[in-house]
Structure formats: C-alpha cells, structure tokens
C-alpha cells in the first residue's frame, strides 16, 4: 500500500492537535512539549498494549478482523524497525505513542485510525508505564539476586574468618567476615521483597479507562488485562489515568536498595584504607592517582556511595510533580518518566558494580584478626563468664569487667594477657579458666544463639540463604 503524502511545504499532521487546533505550535512549545527522545524507551510496552487492545476490539466486533489483522501486522513491522534501528522517530509527533500511530498510518493507511477506538493517550501511557516499571522490577530482581549470590559465595568461604565487629565505628565484639556479609544478603532480600510488593500493587491494567471517564464502547477490560498479564483491570477510571503512586513506590524501593549499596560501598572504602587493610581489590575496580604513584583508589565503591543522591532526588522530584495535581490527568505527569528511568538505570549500574567488587575482593585474614584483637573486644565474653560461673548479676559483672579493662590499659596489655593476680585483685574468685575464653576465636565460637556469628552457624546460614534466595543454586545466572 502506498504511503499518504504530505503536501509540499506543509508540516506533517499531528494527530494530538486534532481538528480543533488548526495552527502549528510555537517552536518553544514544541521543545517543551516533546518527549520522544525519552519515552521511546516505552516502544515495546506501547506495541504490546496496542496489540492487546486491537485483539480485544476485534473480539468485541468493534473493529473488523481485516482491520485488526492489518493493525497487528503493521505493529509487528514497527517493532522490527525499531529493534533494527531503522524507525524514523520524529519530534513533530511528540511522543512514542504518536510516532507509532503515525508510522502505522503510513504502513496500512486509514485502518490505523481504528486502533485508537475506545482508547485515550491517558490510559495508553498509564498502561505502558506500568508495563515498563513491571519489566524494570523483574530485571532489577535478577540483578539483586546476582549480588546476593556473590555475597553468599564470599560468606561461605569466610564463615570462620575473624574480624572486628563495630558499633559507633568502635571495636565492639569479634564477628566473622562471612557473618558480616550475610547481613547485606538479608538487606537485599528485603529490597527484593519490597520490589515484589510494588510489582503486585502496580499490576492493574488502566486500558479502558479512556481519558478519565471510561468509554461507551462495549469493551472487555478483563480480556485486555489478561493479555498483558495484569492481575485485573483498574477499578476506577479516574484513578487509573491520574495516579503515579506505583512509580513513587518503585523510586522508594530504589532509594532504599541504593542506600544499602551505599553502606556496603562505604565499608569497602574503609576496609581498603591503610589503617584497616582488611581487603584488596584488583585494578579492575580501582584507579590510580594523577599525582601520587602509590595510590589505589576505590573509585567504583565511592561512585556507588555517591549515586544514592540520585535515588533520593528522583523520589523527591516525582513526589513534587504529583503533590498538587487535581484529578485526572495533567501534562505535568509527562515528567514522571525522567526520574524513574534514571533511577532504574542507576540502580542497575550500582548493582553490577557492587557485584563485580564482591567477587573481586581478596581478604587479608591476618589483618582482620589483628584488628579483632584490639579494643578489648572480648570484654563482653569476660562479663558473661563472671555471670555464668560466679553468679554475678550482669550489671555487676559489667562493672567488674570495666575495672579489669582499665587495669589492662594501665599495664599496656590485653585482657587475655592480664596476669591472673591482677584480675584477682579486682575480683578474687576469678580463676585461670576465665582467661581461656578471651581469644577472638573462642569469642566467635561461643555466639551460638540463632543468627549469631559462630562459624558453624555462619556456614549453615550461607547454605540456608542460598536456598532461600537462590533456589539452592551455586550462583544465579542472568536470564
């Protein structure tokens, strides 16, 4: 079929302006109104939604099977053109929806105009956007799973590697490196759960809501929803086209996950620094200095840490857009995709970088153990011994242990090396058995309560985490 031609010297017709507006928009109006450079990312979702809508229209005998077949054939050709990089995106058609609609008219002629029967760009874009966010959640879930797999692998390998545990960034008690890493596995598990909850809530189909009030055509919204794997159609047409809380919830999920990545990145920066020296990263995830030849800078970790601001900014940006909008749709909502696309892209990048760093980490076990022995990290073990073996109330045992730590500091020794006579000057009933439990290895081995840092528990926890989060697989493979 030959393509309709635009008269020489005339601008192509913009379907969105319709018959009411006969003039052309000002150049600045076109610049502020156009979104095709951004929302062309929705092409797959837009085509999927159009195919489902078209099939429903045919099934309900609203359009003919012949027109439906032509529309479907044209849409598939458009999909192929876009994926081959041959589609002629045009700014004069504003957005992805009108670009596809216009191209469909060029390919199949007047039948293309029947596709928009019983549909508005308002419910169309709402459906496209929900489909895109749903796809983004599925993709990010796989990326988070890969990071969990990398952490679990390292945790299993270092179930008994002793390191200092901190509170207030002060040495508190010995833990194992595996136990520390599994804490992040749990955080990421909750991140995945939040994304899954967001996906469940957004999975309602807006198609059929029309511009705001529904449609007088005898459409089948359940059929369209099912075709697009939505759980059900949205219950209220006003809500369907005017709400973006699903996007806000997605951004909140991204912000929380980004915060967890930032915390881990901060620890990588600390662990790599000379005062710690707990780990090393290869040249693949570090950079040099332009002036100081000895430097190895943890730039990947620092950038992951910094990008948290993007997630917070994205959430605040969209929340600000939505906070004062009356029902139903306003063009303000065109700004919804900028923060969502940026947050999804940034989180994917941060997850990939963090996964790479975790797999690249090599541990200096000796440095970790030396640090674990500092700061009287086994003082709590001594207080527990006094309570368990001498029957002291814990608060009294806490006071006695504090006095013993003070004496050790005065003598410049560790608790384990504090002479028994010095201990007995403060608490006469202390025996040599108390000193035997003051090594960092004995300390971590004693923490056998559920969720504790005893190496046997950590090894078991790593296996359990693999079953919970990875389905028992050795490592998660991207699909």
């Amino acid at each position: 079929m030959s393509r309709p031609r635009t008269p020489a010297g005339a601008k192509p017709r913009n379907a969105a302006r319709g018959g009411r507006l006969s003039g052309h928009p000002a150049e600045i109006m076109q610049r502020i109104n156009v979104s095709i450079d951004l929302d062309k990312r929705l092409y797959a979702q837009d085509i999927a939604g159009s195919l489902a809508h078209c099939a429903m229209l045919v099934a309900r005998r609203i359009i003919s099977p012949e027109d439906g077949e032509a529309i479907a054939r044209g849409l598939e050709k458009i999909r192929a053109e876009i994926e081959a990089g041959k589609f002629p995106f045009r700014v004069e058609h504003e957005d992805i929806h009108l670009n596809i609609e216009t191209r469909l008219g060029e390919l199949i002629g007047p039948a293309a105009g029947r596709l928009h029967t019983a549909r508005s760009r308002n419910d169309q874009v709402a459906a496209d956007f929900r489909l895109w966010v749903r796809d983004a959640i599925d993709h990010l879930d796989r990326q988070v799973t890969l990071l969990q797999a990398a952490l679990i692998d390292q945790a299993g390998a270092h179930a008994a590697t002793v390191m200092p545990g901190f509170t207030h960034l002060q040495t508190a008690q010995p833990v194992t490196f595996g136990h520390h890493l599994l804490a992040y596995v749990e955080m990421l598990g909750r991140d995945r759960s939040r994304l899954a909850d967001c996906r469940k809530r957004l999975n309602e189909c807006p198609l059929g809501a029309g511009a705001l009030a529904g449609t007088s055509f005898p459409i089948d919204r359940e059929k369209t929803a099912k075709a697009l794997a939505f759980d059900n159609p949205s219950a209220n047409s006003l809500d369907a086209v005017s709400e973006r809380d699903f996007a806000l919830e997605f951004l909140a999920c991204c912000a929380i996950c980004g915060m967890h990545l930032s915390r881990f990145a901060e620890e990588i920066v600390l662990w790599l620094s000379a005062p710690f020296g707990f780990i090393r990263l290869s040249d693949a995830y570090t950079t040099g200095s332009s002036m100081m030849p000895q430097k190895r800078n943890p730039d990947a970790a620092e950038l992951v840490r910094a990008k948290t601001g993007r997630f917070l900014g994205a959430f605040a940006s969209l929340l600000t857009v939505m906070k004062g909008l009356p029902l139903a749709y306003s063009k303000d909502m065109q700004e919804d995709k900028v923060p969502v696309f940026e947050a999804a892209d940034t989180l994917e990048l941060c997850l990939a970088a963090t996964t790479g760093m975790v797999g690249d980490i090599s541990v200096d076990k000796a440095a970790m153990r030396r640090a674990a022995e500092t700061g009287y990290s086994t003082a709590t073990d001594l207080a527990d011994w006094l309570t368990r073996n001498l029957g002291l109330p814990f608060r009294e045992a806490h006071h006695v242990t504090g006095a013993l730590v003070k004496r050790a500091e005065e003598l410049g020794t560790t608790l384990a090396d504090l002479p028994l006579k010095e201990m007995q000057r403060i608490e006469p009933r202390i025996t040599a058995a108390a000193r035997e439990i003051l090594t960092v290895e004995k300390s971590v081995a004693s923490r056998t309560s559920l969720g504790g840092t005893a190496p046997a528990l950590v090894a078991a926890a790593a296996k359990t985490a693999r079953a919970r989060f990875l389905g028992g697989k050795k490592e998660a493979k991207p699909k």
Side-chain angles (χ1 to χ4, degrees), residues 59-99:
R60 298 294 291 173
R61 299 183 179 179
I62 297 171
I63 67 174
S64 70
E66 294 76 18
D67 284 344
E69 183 180 346
I71 289 168
R73 187 172 60 250
L75 289 171
E76 292 296 352
K77 181 173 177 57
I78 289 169
R79 189 206 306 272
E81 288 180 347
I82 294 174
E83 292 177 350
K86 297 179 180 179
F87 185 85
F89 292 109
R90 298 170 184 165
V91 296
E92 60 266 25
H93 298 315
E94 298 180 13
D95 56 29
I96 187 61
H97 323 294
L98 290 183
N99 266 268

Side-chain angles (χ1 to χ4, degrees), residues 63 82 93 96 108 118 141 175 225 305 337 363 372 375 384 390 408 447:
I63 67 174
I82 294 174
H93 298 315
I96 187 61
I108 70 171
D141 181 76
V175 296
R305 182 177 61 185
K337 293 164 218 49
V363 176
D384 289 345
L390 301 187
R447 305 296 167 183

Side-chain angles (χ1 to χ4, degrees), residues 284-313:
Y285 292 94
T286 57
T287 65
S289 165
S290 63
M291 182 178 184
M292 296 163 284
Q294 84 283 6
K295 294 290 294 301
R296 175 174 281 173
N297 299 324
D299 284 6
E302 291 171 353
L303 288 167
V304 168
R305 182 177 61 185
K307 289 183 187 294
T308 307
R310 295 199 182 196
F311 305 123
L312 302 179

Side-chain angles (χ1 to χ4, degrees), residues 182-380:
L182 288 177
Y184 285 100
V185 173
E186 294 297 324
M187 295 178 206
L188 293 168
R190 292 190 294 274
D191 290 330
R192 290 177 63 192
S193 178
R194 273 182 283 270
L195 285 168
D197 286 345
C198 176
R199 192 191 194 283
K200 182 177 180 180
R201 268 184 289 277
L202 72 79
N203 208 34
E204 296 184 344
C205 185
L207 283 175
L212 75 163
T215 178
S216 59
F217 287 93
I219 61 174
D220 184 347
R221 295 193 63 206
E222 286 78 10
K223 179 179 177 61
T224 310
K226 184 178 180 180
L228 294 170
F230 284 111
D231 293 331
N232 48 262
S234 53
N236 182 282
S237 60
L238 286 166
D239 176 60
V241 300
S242 66
E243 186 52 85
R244 295 295 185 269
D245 56 1
F246 68 91
L248 284 165
E249 185 174 4
F250 174 71
L251 291 175
C253 293
C254 289
I256 295 171
C257 184
M259 174 270 295
H260 287 149
L261 299 182
S262 179
R263 294 184 71 182
F264 185 62
E266 167 68 6
E267 298 210 280
I268 288 177
V269 172
L270 289 173
W271 295 339
L272 278 170
S273 66
F276 284 80
F278 290 176
I279 64 172
R280 288 181 68 84
L281 288 176
S282 73
D283 294 347
Y285 292 94
T286 57
T287 65
S289 165
S290 63
M291 182 178 184
M292 296 163 284
Q294 84 283 6
K295 294 290 294 301
R296 175 174 281 173
N297 299 324
D299 284 6
E302 291 171 353
L303 288 167
V304 168
R305 182 177 61 185
K307 289 183 187 294
T308 307
R310 295 199 182 196
F311 305 123
L312 302 179
F315 180 80
S317 174
L318 183 54
L319 194 64
T320 302
V321 167
M322 297 300 300
K323 71 174 183 63
L325 296 185
L327 299 180
Y329 181 84
S330 296
K331 197 60 178 277
D332 308 50
M333 292 184 198
Q334 182 168 290
E335 293 298 305
D336 57 3
K337 293 164 218 49
V338 176
V340 169
F341 289 169
E342 181 177 31
D345 291 347
T346 302
L347 185 55
E348 180 182 3
L349 178 61
C350 290
L351 286 166
T354 305
T355 302
M357 285 188 288
V358 170
D360 193 57
I361 285 174
S362 60
V363 176
D364 189 331
K365 296 182 180 181
M368 282 189 172
R369 190 187 186 285
R370 285 194 300 271
E373 290 183 313
T374 65
Y376 302 97
S377 64
T378 58
T380 305

